[in-house]
Amino acid sequence: MKLSINMAMTLDGKVVRPDGRWYGLTSSEDKTQMDVYRSQSDAVLIGKNSIINDNPIVKIRAVPNALNPRPVILVRKGTLPPDKHVFEESDHIPLVICTKTNLKEIKTSLENKAEIFALDSDDIDPKKVTGILKRKGYKNVLLEGGPKLNFSFLEADLVDRIYLTVVPFIIGKTGLAGIADRNAELPEFDKQNWSLKQHFAKGNEIFLVYEKS
């Protein structure tokens, strides 16, 4: 199974606005390219915060006759409102992976909206998540989570590819997250090799594809 991260980043390396959300910073070219990446995936991993803050629609529009990937939502604490787009407008019933701590809460609000799988722990373990997806037969998984979720999968050495869009904005505020964010560095970050496999421009944005060497 191959796991890819897809993120957009400003010229000064930020992936969120000062209010912590991401809206109005990417163009139609980026949205089209995101559909291309989704069309090459059979599952899309999304974190709880991304669902709540951005309410994404996981449906391919720009690639004709493409099969839509299945949404896989990771929820470590609490639950999600059942009226979010991912539960109303997806071609597949979403898979919600939670912990043993919030299983009851998830079942109460989402039992008729999703397939629910609870890990036997109080946290979301990325290796256990990828194990579930492998057993379900998924071959190409696209991670569209936030910086903290990206960090956890990078820290576990589970990421094979990074799709990065550079968008023409400079925010400038300190303390805003980059593509991977936690109060620690990735282990041996300077010994890891990421090779640039593809780069192209559309409009005012640059699209980069890095793969682990």
Side-chain angles (χ1 to χ4, degrees):
M1 191 187 81
K2 297 290 185 182
L3 180 71
S4 305
I5 285 175
N6 181 32
M7 291 291 279
M9 179 183 76
T10 64
L11 292 174
D12 56 340
K14 311 296 172 39
V15 300
V16 292
R17 298 174 71 103
D19 63 3
R21 299 176 63 193
W22 182 267
Y23 55 90
L25 294 179
T26 56
S27 67
S28 59
E29 285 86 0
D30 178 66
K31 292 179 176 64
T32 297
Q33 194 60 35
M34 181 171 67
D35 274 359
V36 172
Y37 300 147
R38 285 178 172 180
S39 73
Q40 298 165 354
S41 309
D42 41 26
V44 175
L45 269 176
I46 314 167
K48 174 186 173 182
N49 289 339
S50 295
I51 298 292
I52 291 175
N53 293 333
D54 300 320
N55 197 17
I57 298 174
V58 185
K59 204 164 191 177
I60 297 169
R61 297 173 176 175
V63 181
N65 304 315
L67 297 176
N68 290 298
R70 186 185 190 185
V72 179
I73 309 167
L74 307 181
V75 186
R76 183 170 63 91
K77 289 183 179 180
T79 186
L80 285 166
D83 60 350
K84 294 297 183 181
H85 290 316
V86 71
F87 300 113
E88 301 293 339
E89 301 182 27
S90 299
D91 287 349
H92 310 273
I93 183 170
L95 170 63
V96 172
I97 299 177
C98 62
T99 69
K100 62 181 183 182
T101 308
N102 63 337
L103 174 60
K104 184 177 180 181
E105 193 175 357
I106 292 282
K107 279 187 172 181
T108 299
S109 59
L110 300 177
E111 193 161 28
N112 297 320
K113 292 283 187 174
E115 177 187 355
I116 300 167
F117 189 101
L119 301 176
D120 57 350
S121 61
D122 296 322
D123 205 352
I124 298 291
D125 184 335
K127 290 184 178 179
K128 290 181 179 178
V129 170
T130 55
I132 293 166
L133 299 180
K134 286 177 183 177
R135 289 196 297 273
K136 286 185 172 292
Y138 295 117
K139 302 297 184 185
N140 292 287
V141 177
L142 190 62
L143 175 55
E144 292 186 1
K148 288 182 172 58
L149 198 59
N150 289 345
F151 187 101
S152 66
F153 279 83
L154 286 163
E155 184 182 39
D157 197 26
L158 297 170
V159 180
D160 303 287
R161 184 186 297 113
I162 297 174
Y163 298 116
L164 185 63
T165 306
V166 181
V167 300
F169 297 95
I170 298 175
I171 297 176
K173 183 179 179 181
T174 60
L176 297 179
I179 69 167
D181 187 64
R182 192 180 290 171
N183 191 25
E185 72 277 2
L186 287 166
E188 299 189 327
F189 68 90
D190 53 349
K191 294 183 174 62
Q192 295 179 2
N193 251 344
W194 290 93
S195 300
L196 181 63
K197 294 298 184 180
Q198 192 178 7
H199 59 95
F200 55 94
K202 288 184 181 180
N204 292 317
E205 295 169 340
I206 298 173
F207 298 85
L208 307 171
V209 181
Y210 281 90
E211 292 184 0
K212 186 176 290 182
S213 301

